[in-house]
Amino acid sequence: MELLHSKILGEGTPLFILHGFLGMSDNWKTLGSQYADNGFQVHLIDQRNHGKSFHSPDFDYDLLASDVIAYMDHRQIESALILGHSMGGKTAMQIATSHPYRVTKLIVADIAPKFYPPHHQYIVDALAQLDFNKITSRKEADEVLSQHLKDFGIRQFLLKNLHWVEPKKMGFRFNFEVLKNRMEEIGDNIGATASYDGPALFIRGDRSEYILPNDYPEIKKHFPKAVIETVDNAGHWLHAENPKQFFEKTLHFMNS
């Protein structure tokens, strides 16, 4: 079985961090270093079809969870704190409900246990405009993307995924072909009866619509010990938009 790629920082209690859709472990390097400085062995993980991890035509949350369990087994880690953002939060929920004894504490960033209709299509459509037979630099790629995506922050987030596939030929690190065709799976929900009875923190951005107050009963149904916190002045990318408050709230929960 192929193993997920990771970057490991620090020593101490294992903490796994799972990025969101079209993200990668590198997005969490700064916060990961801060957790490492506070006594955690941080595993920044690239999920399948993302970052430097393997590409596969198969993609759903059962598989994403199994990948992490296989990684834990390989590293001989019995249990860990698991923090996941967005798609990574769905993976984290799947791990916690399917393998509860492997999760000491669960942190879910800005995603709820519910189905989300596909809503990244505009990003996928913009990425489809990049012709790597013509584009030879990140600057050129940004010029093309800027015609379709006005948000500078989202463009920079996406452009991090560009790399040299071969000399003078750029490409994506993520598996674009598979991911653009599996949008339904990205929004998928955990099972109707799935539950995790351990400590859980659901943390939302005050400007985000991914977790709304009417989602709280559903969170409590699946995660009865869940605490729900809000990060101020932050949307869906709350860990990037208000990293100080995100770090303080998550660290307090990990240490409590």
Side-chain angles (χ1 to χ4, degrees):
M1 183 176 181
E2 293 186 89
L3 281 176
L4 298 174
H5 175 268
S6 72
K7 186 175 178 64
I8 302 172
L9 309 171
E11 292 294 329
T13 305
L15 164 64
F16 286 24
I17 299 182
L18 304 172
H19 60 78
F21 180 58
L22 301 179
M24 56 181 164
S25 56
D26 202 50
N27 303 143
W28 287 83
K29 208 162 52 181
T30 303
L31 274 169
S33 298
Q34 289 180 263
Y35 293 127
D37 290 342
N38 280 270
F40 294 92
Q41 183 189 66
V42 181
H43 295 251
L44 301 175
I45 291 174
D46 284 332
Q47 299 187 79
R48 71 165 61 196
N49 292 323
H50 289 78
K52 294 180 182 174
S53 280
F54 60 90
H55 287 188
S56 166
D58 303 313
F59 191 81
D60 61 42
Y61 286 114
D62 285 328
L63 289 170
L64 295 181
S66 298
D67 290 342
V68 176
I69 295 299
Y71 174 92
M72 293 176 88
D73 291 343
H74 177 76
R75 298 264 174 199
Q76 298 182 317
I77 296 170
E78 191 57 40
S79 62
L81 292 110
I82 300 195
L83 187 169
H85 170 245
S86 198
M87 182 192 86
K90 285 281 184 80
T91 305
M93 287 189 249
Q94 188 67 45
I95 296 165
T97 56
S98 305
H99 309 271
Y101 56 95
R102 308 301 294 267
V103 181
T104 49
K105 287 184 179 180
L106 172 69
I107 301 172
V108 177
D110 213 55
I111 202 85
K114 67 178 183 181
F115 174 75
Y116 290 81
H119 55 283
H120 295 105
Q121 195 60 50
Y122 72 103
I123 290 177
V124 169
D125 291 344
L127 291 169
Q129 304 305 311
L130 297 178
D131 181 354
F132 293 115
N133 292 316
K134 298 176 182 173
I135 289 167
T136 57
S137 71
R138 192 161 272 156
K139 184 173 181 291
E140 287 176 19
D142 188 43
E143 284 168 3
V144 174
L145 283 183
S146 66
Q147 295 168 33
H148 309 275
L149 291 173
K150 298 305 173 198
D151 190 308
F152 176 77
I154 290 178
R155 293 204 311 274
Q156 293 309 298
F157 166 77
L158 295 169
L159 290 167
K160 268 193 159 188
N161 283 285
L162 292 187
H163 72 130
W164 295 104
V165 180
E166 54 190 66
K168 298 186 179 178
K169 171 90 170 179
M170 298 195 93
F172 299 122
R173 284 200 186 279
F174 50 67
N175 188 342
F176 184 61
E177 286 306 309
V178 167
L179 295 175
K180 76 176 183 182
N181 293 321
R182 304 303 286 268
M183 304 288 277
E184 287 282 337
E185 277 86 345
I186 307 296
D188 216 355
N189 195 12
I190 57 174
T193 59
S195 67
Y196 169 69
D197 200 33
L201 170 66
F202 280 71
I203 186 162
R204 61 188 283 273
D206 67 342
R207 295 200 300 253
S208 172
E209 296 187 348
Y210 276 72
I211 299 181
L212 300 169
N214 59 11
D215 296 320
Y216 295 179
E218 196 67 15
I219 291 172
K220 290 284 195 179
K221 182 183 112 178
H222 294 283
F223 304 93
K225 291 183 180 157
V227 176
I228 301 165
E229 294 263 6
T230 300
V231 170
D232 299 322
N233 304 313
H236 185 53
W237 280 277
L238 63 175
H239 55 291
E241 293 170 54
N242 191 342
K244 183 174 184 290
Q245 198 176 105
F246 183 89
F247 176 73
E248 287 167 355
K249 286 178 182 288
T250 50
L251 187 68
H252 175 75
F253 172 76
M254 290 180 201
N255 288 330
S256 64

